[in-house]
Coordinates of all heavy atoms in Angstrom, one line a residue:
M1 N 37.3 -39.5 10.3 CA 37.8 -38.1 10.4 C 39.0 -38.1 11.3 O 38.9 -38.7 12.4 CB 36.7 -37.1 10.9 CG 37.2 -35.7 11.0 SD 35.9 -34.6 11.5 CE 35.0 -34.3 9.9
T2 N 40.1 -37.6 10.8 CA 41.3 -37.6 11.7 C 41.1 -36.5 12.7 O 40.3 -35.6 12.7 CB 42.5 -37.2 10.8 OG1 42.4 -35.9 10.4 CG2 42.7 -38.2 9.7
D3 N 41.9 -36.7 13.8 CA 41.8 -35.8 14.9 C 42.2 -34.4 14.5 O 41.6 -33.4 14.9 CB 42.8 -36.3 16.0 CG 42.5 -35.6 17.3 OD1 41.3 -35.4 17.6 OD2 43.5 -35.2 18.0
L4 N 43.2 -34.3 13.5 CA 43.6 -32.9 13.0 C 42.4 -32.3 12.3 O 42.1 -31.1 12.5 CB 44.8 -33.1 12.1 CG 45.3 -31.8 11.5 CD1 45.7 -30.8 12.6 CD2 46.5 -32.0 10.6
K5 N 41.8 -33.0 11.4 CA 40.6 -32.4 10.7 C 39.5 -32.0 11.6 O 38.8 -31.1 11.4 CB 40.1 -33.4 9.6 CG 41.1 -33.6 8.4 CD 40.5 -34.5 7.4 CE 41.4 -34.5 6.2 NZ 40.9 -35.5 5.1
R6 N 39.2 -32.9 12.6 CA 38.2 -32.6 13.6 C 38.5 -31.3 14.3 O 37.6 -30.4 14.5 CB 38.1 -33.7 14.6 CG 36.9 -33.5 15.6 CD 36.7 -34.7 16.4 NE 36.3 -35.9 15.7 CZ 36.9 -37.1 15.7 NH1 37.9 -37.3 16.5 NH2 36.5 -38.1 15.0
R7 N 39.8 -31.1 14.7 CA 40.2 -29.9 15.4 C 40.0 -28.7 14.4 O 39.6 -27.6 14.8 CB 41.6 -30.0 15.9 CG 41.7 -30.6 17.2 CD 43.0 -30.4 17.9 NE 43.5 -31.8 18.1 CZ 44.7 -32.1 18.2 NH1 45.7 -31.3 18.0 NH2 45.1 -33.3 18.4
Q8 N 40.4 -28.8 13.2 CA 40.3 -27.7 12.2 C 38.8 -27.4 12.0 O 38.5 -26.2 12.0 CB 40.9 -28.2 10.8 CG 42.4 -28.2 10.9 CD 43.0 -28.8 9.6 OE1 42.3 -29.6 8.9 NE2 44.1 -28.3 9.2
L9 N 38.0 -28.4 11.9 CA 36.5 -28.1 11.8 C 36.0 -27.4 13.0 O 35.2 -26.4 12.8 CB 35.8 -29.5 11.5 CG 34.3 -29.4 11.4 CD1 33.9 -28.5 10.2 CD2 33.7 -30.7 11.3
M10 N 36.4 -27.9 14.2 CA 35.9 -27.2 15.4 C 36.4 -25.8 15.4 O 35.6 -24.9 15.8 CB 36.3 -28.0 16.6 CG 35.7 -29.4 16.7 SD 34.0 -29.4 16.7 CE 33.6 -29.0 18.4
G11 N 37.6 -25.5 15.0 CA 38.1 -24.2 15.0 C 37.4 -23.3 14.1 O 37.1 -22.1 14.3
L12 N 37.1 -23.9 12.9 CA 36.4 -23.1 11.9 C 34.9 -22.8 12.4 O 34.5 -21.6 12.2 CB 36.3 -23.9 10.6 CG 35.6 -23.2 9.4 CD1 36.3 -22.0 9.0 CD2 35.5 -24.2 8.2
M13 N 34.3 -23.7 13.0 CA 32.9 -23.5 13.6 C 33.0 -22.4 14.6 O 32.1 -21.5 14.7 CB 32.4 -24.7 14.1 CG 32.0 -25.8 13.1 SD 31.5 -27.4 13.7 CE 30.1 -26.9 14.7
G14 N 34.0 -22.4 15.5 CA 34.1 -21.4 16.5 C 34.4 -20.0 15.9 O 33.8 -19.0 16.3
A15 N 35.2 -19.9 14.9 CA 35.5 -18.7 14.2 C 34.3 -18.1 13.5 O 34.0 -16.9 13.6 CB 36.7 -18.8 13.2
T16 N 33.5 -19.0 12.9 CA 32.3 -18.6 12.3 C 31.3 -18.0 13.3 O 30.6 -17.0 13.1 CB 31.6 -19.8 11.5 OG1 32.6 -20.3 10.6 CG2 30.4 -19.3 10.8
A17 N 31.1 -18.7 14.4 CA 30.2 -18.2 15.4 C 30.6 -16.8 15.9 O 29.7 -16.0 16.2 CB 30.2 -19.2 16.6
V18 N 31.9 -16.6 16.1 CA 32.3 -15.3 16.6 C 32.1 -14.2 15.5 O 31.8 -13.1 15.8 CB 33.8 -15.4 17.0 CG1 34.4 -14.0 17.3 CG2 34.0 -16.3 18.2
A19 N 32.3 -14.6 14.2 CA 32.2 -13.7 13.1 C 30.8 -13.2 12.9 O 30.6 -12.1 12.3 CB 32.8 -14.3 11.8
I20 N 29.8 -13.9 13.3 CA 28.4 -13.5 13.0 C 27.9 -12.7 14.2 O 27.8 -13.2 15.3 CB 27.5 -14.8 12.9 CG1 27.9 -15.6 11.7 CG2 26.0 -14.3 12.8 CD1 27.2 -16.9 11.6
P21 N 27.7 -11.4 14.0 CA 27.3 -10.5 15.1 C 25.9 -11.0 15.7 O 25.0 -11.4 15.0 CB 27.2 -9.1 14.5 CG 27.8 -9.3 13.1 CD 27.8 -10.7 12.8
V22 N 25.8 -10.9 17.0 CA 24.5 -11.2 17.6 C 23.4 -10.4 17.1 O 22.3 -11.0 16.9 CB 24.7 -11.0 19.1 CG1 23.3 -11.2 19.8 CG2 25.7 -11.9 19.7
S23 N 23.6 -9.2 16.7 CA 22.5 -8.4 16.2 C 22.0 -8.9 14.9 O 20.8 -8.8 14.6 CB 22.9 -6.9 16.0 OG 24.0 -6.8 15.1
A24 N 22.9 -9.5 14.1 CA 22.5 -10.1 12.8 C 21.5 -11.3 13.0 O 20.6 -11.5 12.3 CB 23.7 -10.5 12.0
V25 N 21.8 -12.0 14.0 CA 21.0 -13.2 14.4 C 19.6 -12.7 14.9 O 18.6 -13.2 14.5 CB 21.7 -14.1 15.4 CG1 20.8 -15.2 15.8 CG2 23.0 -14.7 14.8
I26 N 19.7 -11.8 15.8 CA 18.4 -11.2 16.4 C 17.6 -10.6 15.3 O 16.3 -10.8 15.3 CB 18.7 -10.2 17.5 CG1 19.4 -11.0 18.7 CG2 17.5 -9.5 17.9 CD1 19.9 -10.1 19.8
G27 N 18.2 -10.0 14.3 CA 17.4 -9.3 13.3 C 16.7 -10.3 12.4 O 15.7 -9.9 11.7
T28 N 17.1 -11.6 12.4 CA 16.4 -12.6 11.6 C 15.3 -13.2 12.3 O 14.5 -14.0 11.7 CB 17.4 -13.6 11.1 OG1 17.9 -14.3 12.2 CG2 18.5 -13.0 10.3
L29 N 15.1 -13.0 13.6 CA 14.1 -13.6 14.3 C 12.8 -13.0 14.0 O 12.7 -11.8 13.8 CB 14.4 -13.5 15.8 CG 15.6 -14.2 16.3 CD1 15.9 -13.9 17.8 CD2 15.5 -15.7 16.1
P30 N 11.7 -13.8 14.0 CA 10.4 -13.2 13.7 C 10.0 -12.2 14.8 O 10.2 -12.4 16.0 CB 9.4 -14.4 13.7 CG 10.1 -15.4 14.5 CD 11.6 -15.2 14.3
S31 N 9.4 -11.1 14.4 CA 8.9 -10.1 15.3 C 7.6 -10.5 15.9 O 6.7 -11.0 15.3 CB 8.7 -8.8 14.6 OG 8.1 -7.8 15.4
H32 N 7.5 -10.2 17.2 CA 6.2 -10.5 17.9 C 5.2 -9.3 17.8 O 4.1 -9.5 18.0 CB 6.4 -11.0 19.3 CG 7.1 -12.3 19.4 ND1 6.5 -13.5 19.1 CD2 8.4 -12.6 19.7 CE1 7.4 -14.5 19.2 NE2 8.5 -13.9 19.6
A33 N 5.8 -8.2 17.5 CA 5.0 -7.0 17.4 C 4.4 -6.9 16.0 O 5.2 -7.0 15.0 CB 5.8 -5.8 17.8
D34 N 3.2 -6.6 15.9 CA 2.6 -6.5 14.6 C 2.4 -5.0 14.3 O 1.6 -4.3 15.0 CB 1.2 -7.2 14.5 CG 0.6 -7.2 13.1 OD1 1.1 -6.4 12.2 OD2 -0.4 -7.9 12.9
D35 N 3.1 -4.5 13.3 CA 3.1 -3.0 13.0 C 2.0 -2.7 12.0 O 1.9 -1.5 11.6 CB 4.5 -2.6 12.5 CG 5.6 -2.7 13.6 OD1 5.2 -2.7 14.8 OD2 6.7 -2.9 13.2
T36 N 1.2 -3.6 11.7 CA 0.1 -3.4 10.7 C -0.9 -2.4 11.3 O -1.3 -2.6 12.4 CB -0.6 -4.7 10.3 OG1 0.4 -5.6 9.9 CG2 -1.6 -4.4 9.3
P37 N -1.2 -1.3 10.6 CA -2.1 -0.3 11.1 C -3.5 -0.9 11.2 O -3.9 -1.8 10.5 CB -2.1 0.8 10.1 CG -1.5 0.2 8.9 CD -0.7 -0.9 9.2
M38 N -4.2 -0.4 12.2 CA -5.6 -0.8 12.4 C -6.5 -0.1 11.4 O -6.2 1.0 10.9 CB -6.1 -0.5 13.8 CG -5.3 -1.2 14.9 SD -5.3 -3.0 14.8 CE -7.1 -3.3 15.1
V39 N -7.6 -0.8 11.1 CA -8.6 -0.1 10.2 C -9.2 1.1 10.9 O -9.5 1.1 12.1 CB -9.8 -1.1 9.9 CG1 -10.9 -0.4 9.3 CG2 -9.3 -2.3 9.1
D40 N -9.2 2.2 10.2 CA -9.9 3.4 10.7 C -11.4 3.3 10.3 O -11.8 3.3 9.2 CB -9.3 4.6 9.9 CG -9.9 5.9 10.4 OD1 -10.9 5.9 11.1 OD2 -9.3 7.0 10.0
P41 N -12.2 3.2 11.4 CA -13.7 3.0 11.1 C -14.3 4.2 10.4 O -15.4 4.0 9.9 CB -14.2 2.9 12.6 CG -13.1 2.6 13.4 CD -11.9 3.2 12.8
S42 N -13.6 5.3 10.2 CA -14.2 6.4 9.5 C -13.9 6.5 8.1 O -14.3 7.3 7.3 CB -13.7 7.7 10.2 OG -12.3 7.9 10.0
T43 N -13.1 5.5 7.6 CA -12.8 5.5 6.1 C -14.0 5.1 5.3 O -14.9 4.4 5.9 CB -11.6 4.5 5.8 OG1 -12.0 3.2 6.2 CG2 -10.4 4.9 6.6
P44 N -14.1 5.5 4.1 CA -15.2 5.1 3.2 C -15.5 3.6 3.2 O -16.7 3.2 3.3 CB -14.9 5.7 1.9 CG -13.9 6.8 2.2 CD -13.1 6.4 3.4
Q45 N -14.5 2.8 3.1 CA -14.7 1.4 3.0 C -15.2 0.8 4.3 O -16.2 0.0 4.3 CB -13.4 0.6 2.7 CG -13.5 -0.8 2.9 CD -12.9 -1.6 1.7 OE1 -12.5 -1.1 0.7 NE2 -13.0 -2.9 1.8
A46 N -14.7 1.3 5.4 CA -15.2 0.9 6.7 C -16.6 1.3 7.0 O -17.4 0.5 7.5 CB -14.2 1.4 7.8
T47 N -16.9 2.5 6.6 CA -18.3 3.0 6.9 C -19.3 2.2 5.9 O -20.4 1.9 6.3 CB -18.4 4.5 6.7 OG1 -17.9 4.9 5.4 CG2 -17.7 5.2 7.8
A48 N -18.8 1.9 4.7 CA -19.7 1.2 3.8 C -20.0 -0.2 4.3 O -21.1 -0.7 4.1 CB -19.0 1.1 2.4
L49 N -19.0 -0.8 5.0 CA -19.2 -2.1 5.6 C -19.7 -2.0 7.0 O -19.9 -3.1 7.7 CB -17.9 -2.9 5.5 CG -17.5 -3.3 4.1 CD1 -16.1 -3.9 4.1 CD2 -18.5 -4.4 3.5
Q50 N -20.0 -0.8 7.5 CA -20.5 -0.6 8.9 C -19.5 -1.2 9.9 O -19.9 -1.6 11.0 CB -21.9 -1.2 9.0 CG -22.9 -0.6 8.1 CD -24.2 -1.4 8.1 OE1 -24.5 -2.1 9.1 NE2 -24.9 -1.3 7.0
Y51 N -18.2 -1.1 9.6 CA -17.2 -1.7 10.5 C -17.2 -1.0 11.8 O -17.2 0.2 11.9 CB -15.8 -1.7 9.9 CG -14.7 -2.1 10.8 CD1 -14.6 -3.5 11.2 CD2 -13.9 -1.2 11.4 CE1 -13.6 -3.9 12.0 CE2 -12.9 -1.6 12.3 CZ -12.8 -2.9 12.6 OH -11.8 -3.3 13.5
I52 N -17.2 -1.8 12.9 CA -17.0 -1.2 14.2 C -16.0 -2.0 15.0 O -15.8 -3.2 14.7 CB -18.4 -1.2 15.0 CG1 -19.0 -2.6 15.0 CG2 -19.3 -0.1 14.5 CD1 -20.3 -2.7 15.8
E53 N -15.2 -1.3 15.8 CA -14.1 -2.0 16.5 C -14.6 -2.9 17.7 O -13.9 -3.7 18.1 CB -13.2 -0.9 17.1 CG -12.5 -0.1 16.0 CD -11.6 1.0 16.5 OE1 -12.0 1.7 17.4 OE2 -10.5 1.1 15.9
M54 N -15.8 -2.6 18.2 CA -16.3 -3.4 19.3 C -17.7 -3.9 18.8 O -18.7 -3.0 18.8 CB -16.4 -2.6 20.5 CG -16.8 -3.4 21.8 SD -15.6 -4.7 22.3 CE -14.2 -3.7 22.8
S55 N -17.9 -5.1 18.6 CA -19.2 -5.7 18.1 C -20.3 -5.4 19.1 O -20.1 -5.6 20.3 CB -19.0 -7.2 17.8 OG -20.3 -7.7 17.5
D56 N -21.4 -5.1 18.6 CA -22.6 -5.0 19.4 C -23.7 -6.0 18.9 O -24.9 -5.9 19.1 CB -23.2 -3.6 19.4 CG -23.6 -3.1 18.0 OD1 -23.4 -3.9 17.0 OD2 -24.0 -1.9 17.8
K57 N -23.1 -7.1 18.3 CA -23.9 -8.1 17.7 C -23.8 -9.5 18.4 O -23.9 -10.5 17.8 CB -23.5 -8.3 16.2 CG -23.5 -7.1 15.4 CD -24.8 -6.5 15.2 CE -24.7 -5.3 14.2 NZ -25.9 -4.5 14.3
G58 N -23.6 -9.4 19.7 CA -23.5 -10.7 20.5 C -22.2 -11.5 20.1 O -21.1 -11.0 20.1
E59 N -22.5 -12.7 19.7 CA -21.4 -13.6 19.3 C -20.8 -13.3 18.0 O -19.7 -13.9 17.6 CB -21.9 -15.1 19.4 CG -22.3 -15.6 20.7 CD -21.2 -15.5 21.8 OE1 -20.1 -16.0 21.4 OE2 -21.4 -14.9 22.8
Q60 N -21.4 -12.4 17.2 CA -20.8 -12.1 15.9 C -19.7 -11.1 16.1 O -19.9 -9.9 16.5 CB -21.9 -11.4 15.0 CG -23.0 -12.4 14.6 CD -23.9 -11.8 13.6 OE1 -23.6 -10.8 13.0 NE2 -25.0 -12.4 13.4
K61 N -18.5 -11.6 15.9 CA -17.2 -10.8 16.1 C -16.3 -11.2 15.0 O -16.4 -12.4 14.5 CB -16.6 -11.1 17.5 CG -17.4 -10.7 18.6 CD -16.8 -11.0 19.9 CE -17.7 -10.7 21.1 NZ -17.3 -11.3 22.3
C62 N -15.3 -10.4 14.7 CA -14.3 -10.7 13.7 C -13.7 -12.0 14.1 O -13.4 -12.9 13.2 CB -13.3 -9.6 13.6 SG -13.9 -8.1 12.9
S63 N -13.4 -12.3 15.3 CA -12.7 -13.5 15.7 C -13.5 -14.8 15.4 O -12.9 -15.8 15.3 CB -12.4 -13.5 17.2 OG -13.5 -13.4 18.0
S64 N -14.8 -14.6 15.2 CA -15.6 -15.8 14.8 C -16.0 -15.8 13.4 O -16.9 -16.6 13.0 CB -16.8 -15.9 15.8 OG -17.7 -14.9 15.6
C65 N -15.5 -14.8 12.6 CA -15.8 -14.7 11.2 C -14.9 -15.5 10.4 O -13.7 -15.6 10.6 CB -15.7 -13.2 10.8 SG -16.0 -12.9 9.1
T66 N -15.4 -16.1 9.4 CA -14.6 -17.0 8.5 C -13.5 -16.2 7.7 O -12.5 -16.8 7.3 CB -15.5 -17.8 7.5 OG1 -14.7 -18.8 6.9 CG2 -16.0 -16.9 6.4
L67 N -13.7 -14.9 7.6 CA -12.7 -14.1 6.9 C -11.6 -13.6 7.8 O -10.5 -13.1 7.3 CB -13.4 -12.9 6.2 CG -14.4 -13.2 5.2 CD1 -15.0 -11.9 4.6 CD2 -13.8 -14.0 4.0
Y68 N -11.7 -13.7 9.1 CA -10.7 -13.3 10.0 C -9.4 -14.2 9.9 O -9.6 -15.4 9.9 CB -11.2 -13.3 11.4 CG -10.3 -12.7 12.5 CD1 -10.0 -11.4 12.5 CD2 -9.7 -13.5 13.4 CE1 -9.1 -10.8 13.4 CE2 -8.8 -13.0 14.4 CZ -8.5 -11.7 14.4 OH -7.7 -11.1 15.3
Q69 N -8.3 -13.5 9.7 CA -7.0 -14.3 9.5 C -6.1 -14.2 10.7 O -4.9 -14.6 10.6 CB -6.4 -13.8 8.2 CG -7.2 -14.1 7.0 CD -6.7 -13.5 5.7 OE1 -5.8 -12.6 5.8 NE2 -7.1 -14.0 4.6
G70 N -6.5 -13.6 11.8 CA -5.7 -13.5 13.0 C -5.6 -14.9 13.7 O -6.4 -15.7 13.5
A71 N -4.6 -15.0 14.6 CA -4.5 -16.2 15.4 C -5.7 -16.3 16.3 O -6.4 -15.3 16.6 CB -3.2 -16.2 16.2
A72 N -6.0 -17.5 16.8 CA -7.1 -17.8 17.6 C -7.2 -16.9 18.8 O -8.3 -16.5 19.2 CB -7.2 -19.3 18.0
D73 N -6.1 -16.6 19.4 CA -6.1 -15.8 20.7 C -5.6 -14.4 20.4 O -5.3 -13.7 21.4 CB -5.2 -16.5 21.7 CG -3.7 -16.6 21.2 OD1 -3.5 -16.4 20.0 OD2 -2.9 -16.9 22.1
S74 N -5.6 -13.9 19.2 CA -5.1 -12.6 18.9 C -6.2 -11.5 19.2 O -7.4 -11.8 19.3 CB -4.8 -12.5 17.4 OG -5.9 -12.8 16.6
E75 N -5.7 -10.3 19.4 CA -6.6 -9.2 19.7 C -6.9 -8.5 18.4 O -7.9 -7.7 18.4 CB -5.9 -8.2 20.7 CG -5.8 -8.8 22.1 CD -5.2 -7.8 23.0 OE1 -5.0 -6.6 22.7 OE2 -4.8 -8.3 24.1
A76 N -6.1 -8.7 17.4 CA -6.3 -8.1 16.1 C -5.7 -9.0 15.0 O -4.8 -9.8 15.3 CB -5.7 -6.7 16.0
G77 N -6.2 -8.8 13.8 CA -5.6 -9.6 12.7 C -6.1 -9.1 11.4 O -7.0 -8.3 11.3
P78 N -5.5 -9.7 10.3 CA -5.9 -9.3 8.9 C -7.3 -9.7 8.6 O -7.8 -10.7 9.1 CB -4.9 -9.9 8.1 CG -3.8 -10.4 9.0 CD -4.4 -10.6 10.3
C79 N -7.9 -9.0 7.7 CA -9.2 -9.4 7.0 C -9.0 -9.0 5.6 O -8.6 -7.9 5.3 CB -10.3 -8.6 7.7 SG -11.9 -8.8 6.7
P80 N -9.3 -9.9 4.6 CA -9.1 -9.5 3.2 C -10.0 -8.4 2.7 O -9.7 -7.8 1.7 CB -9.5 -10.8 2.5 CG -10.3 -11.6 3.5 CD -9.8 -11.2 4.8
L81 N -11.0 -8.0 3.5 CA -11.8 -6.8 3.0 C -11.1 -5.5 3.3 O -11.5 -4.5 2.8 CB -13.1 -6.8 3.7 CG -14.0 -8.0 3.4 CD1 -15.4 -7.9 4.1 CD2 -14.2 -8.3 1.9
F82 N -10.0 -5.6 4.2 CA -9.3 -4.4 4.5 C -7.8 -4.6 4.4 O -7.0 -4.7 5.3 CB -9.6 -3.9 6.0 CG -11.0 -3.6 6.2 CD1 -11.8 -4.5 6.8 CD2 -11.5 -2.4 5.9 CE1 -13.2 -4.2 7.1 CE2 -12.8 -2.0 6.1 CZ -13.7 -3.0 6.7
P83 N -7.4 -4.8 3.1 CA -5.9 -5.2 2.9 C -5.0 -4.1 3.4 O -5.3 -2.9 3.3 CB -5.9 -5.3 1.4 CG -7.1 -4.7 0.8 CD -8.1 -4.7 1.9
G84 N -3.9 -4.6 4.1 CA -2.9 -3.6 4.6 C -3.3 -3.1 6.0 O -2.5 -2.3 6.6
N85 N -4.4 -3.6 6.5 CA -4.8 -3.2 7.9 C -5.2 -4.4 8.7 O -5.6 -5.4 8.1 CB -6.0 -2.2 7.8 CG -5.6 -0.9 7.1 OD1 -5.9 -0.7 6.0 ND2 -5.0 0.0 7.9
N86 N -5.3 -4.2 10.0 CA -5.8 -5.2 10.9 C -7.2 -4.8 11.4 O -7.4 -3.6 11.5 CB -4.9 -5.4 12.1 CG -3.8 -6.4 11.8 OD1 -3.8 -7.1 10.8 ND2 -2.8 -6.4 12.6
V87 N -8.0 -5.7 11.7 CA -9.3 -5.4 12.3 C -9.2 -6.0 13.7 O -8.4 -6.8 14.0 CB -10.5 -6.1 11.6 CG1 -10.6 -5.6 10.2 CG2 -10.3 -7.6 11.5
T88 N -10.0 -5.5 14.6 CA -10.0 -6.0 16.0 C -10.7 -7.3 16.1 O -11.7 -7.5 15.4 CB -10.6 -5.0 17.0 OG1 -12.0 -4.8 16.6 CG2 -9.9 -3.6 17.0
A89 N -10.2 -8.2 16.9 CA -10.9 -9.5 17.0 C -12.3 -9.3 17.6 O -13.2 -10.1 17.3 CB -10.1 -10.4 18.0
A90 N -12.5 -8.2 18.3 CA -13.8 -7.9 18.9 C -14.7 -7.1 17.9 O -15.8 -6.8 18.3 CB -13.6 -7.2 20.2
G91 N -14.2 -6.8 16.7 CA -14.9 -6.0 15.8 C -16.0 -6.7 15.0 O -16.3 -7.9 15.3
W92 N -16.6 -6.0 14.1 CA -17.7 -6.6 13.3 C -17.9 -5.7 12.1 O -17.6 -4.5 12.1 CB -19.0 -6.6 14.1 CG -20.2 -7.1 13.4 CD1 -20.6 -8.4 13.3 CD2 -21.1 -6.4 12.6 NE1 -21.7 -8.6 12.5 CE2 -22.0 -7.3 12.0 CE3 -21.2 -5.1 12.2 CZ2 -23.1 -6.9 11.2 CZ3 -22.3 -4.7 11.4 CH2 -23.2 -5.6 10.9
C93 N -18.4 -6.3 11.0 CA -18.8 -5.5 9.9 C -20.0 -6.3 9.2 O -20.2 -7.5 9.5 CB -17.7 -5.2 8.9 SG -17.4 -6.5 7.7
S94 N -20.6 -5.6 8.3 CA -21.8 -6.2 7.7 C -21.5 -7.4 6.8 O -22.4 -8.1 6.3 CB -22.6 -5.1 6.9 OG -21.7 -4.6 5.9
A95 N -20.2 -7.7 6.5 CA -19.9 -8.8 5.7 C -19.6 -10.0 6.5 O -19.1 -11.0 6.0 CB -18.7 -8.5 4.8
Y96 N -19.9 -9.9 7.8 CA -19.6 -11.1 8.7 C -20.2 -12.4 8.2 O -21.4 -12.4 7.8 CB -20.3 -10.7 10.1 CG -20.2 -11.9 11.1 CD1 -19.0 -12.1 11.8 CD2 -21.2 -12.8 11.3 CE1 -18.9 -13.1 12.7 CE2 -21.1 -13.8 12.2 CZ -20.0 -14.0 12.9 OH -19.8 -15.1 13.8
V97 N -19.4 -13.4 8.2 CA -19.8 -14.8 7.9 C -19.3 -15.7 9.0 O -18.1 -15.8 9.2 CB -19.1 -15.2 6.5 CG1 -19.6 -16.6 6.2 CG2 -19.5 -14.2 5.4
P98 N -20.2 -16.3 9.7 CA -19.8 -17.2 10.8 C -19.0 -18.4 10.3 O -19.2 -18.9 9.2 CB -21.1 -17.7 11.4 CG -22.1 -17.5 10.3 CD -21.7 -16.4 9.5
R99 N -18.0 -18.7 11.1 CA -17.2 -19.9 10.8 C -18.0 -21.2 10.9 O -18.9 -21.3 11.7 CB -16.0 -20.0 11.8 CG -14.9 -19.1 11.5 CD -13.6 -19.5 12.1 NE -12.6 -18.6 11.8 CZ -11.8 -18.0 12.7 NH1 -11.9 -18.3 14.0 NH2 -11.0 -17.1 12.4
A100 N -17.8 -22.1 10.0 CA -18.5 -23.3 9.9 C -18.1 -24.2 11.2 O -17.1 -24.1 11.7 CB -18.2 -24.1 8.7
Ligands
LIG1 S1 -15.4 -9.6 7.2 FE1 -16.1 -8.1 8.7 S2 -16.6 -9.3 10.5 FE2 -15.4 -10.6 9.1 S3 -13.3 -10.4 9.9 FE3 -13.6 -8.9 8.2 S4 -14.2 -7.0 9.3 FE4 -14.5 -8.7 10.7

């Protein structure tokens, strides 16, 4: 690569970096906040499954249920029985299945 081409390339890279607004870059970063609504324990599905936000079943909690899809250290996460909502990691329902 000639020195002139290298300088042209560096100039182009600098112009590109300036042309991309910082907000556009920030907007592409993953969000740490989960806006997924929590399960309402009073809904028909939740009451049918006896869902509670705070387990009273000892070690049986959503966080130890095989259906829980939240991260290991999460306070809430998805469960396929409540699509579009999160359950609390400390919650429980009658469909609880312990992780193997
Ligand atoms: S099946 Fe029930 S206990 Fe298991 S994660 Fe879903 S809500 Fe929690």
Side-chain angles (χ1 to χ4, degrees):
M1 180 178 281
T2 66
D3 196 41
L4 179 58
K5 286 184 179 178
R6 185 174 295 126
R7 272 192 240 151
Q8 287 174 327
L9 179 62
M10 296 302 283
L12 183 61
M13 289 172 63
T16 303
V18 171
I20 299 172
V22 173
S23 61
V25 174
I26 291 172
T28 62
L29 297 175
S31 172
H32 293 288
D34 187 350
D35 295 334
T36 304
M38 299 300 295
V39 169
D40 178 350
S42 67
T43 62
Q45 169 132 1
T47 55
L49 290 169
Q50 302 168 24
Y51 172 75
I52 50 178
E53 294 177 316
M54 187 65 68
S55 173
D56 58 1
K57 310 291 183 195
E59 295 300 310
Q60 292 188 15
K61 298 176 183 167
C62 292
S63 60
S64 64
C65 175
T66 194
L67 297 178
Y68 185 69
Q69 298 173 341
D73 60 347
S74 59
E75 293 182 9
C79 169
L81 299 185
F82 299 100
N85 294 100
N86 278 345
V87 296
T88 62
W92 179 90
C93 86
S94 60
Y96 174 84
V97 179
R99 283 201 180 128

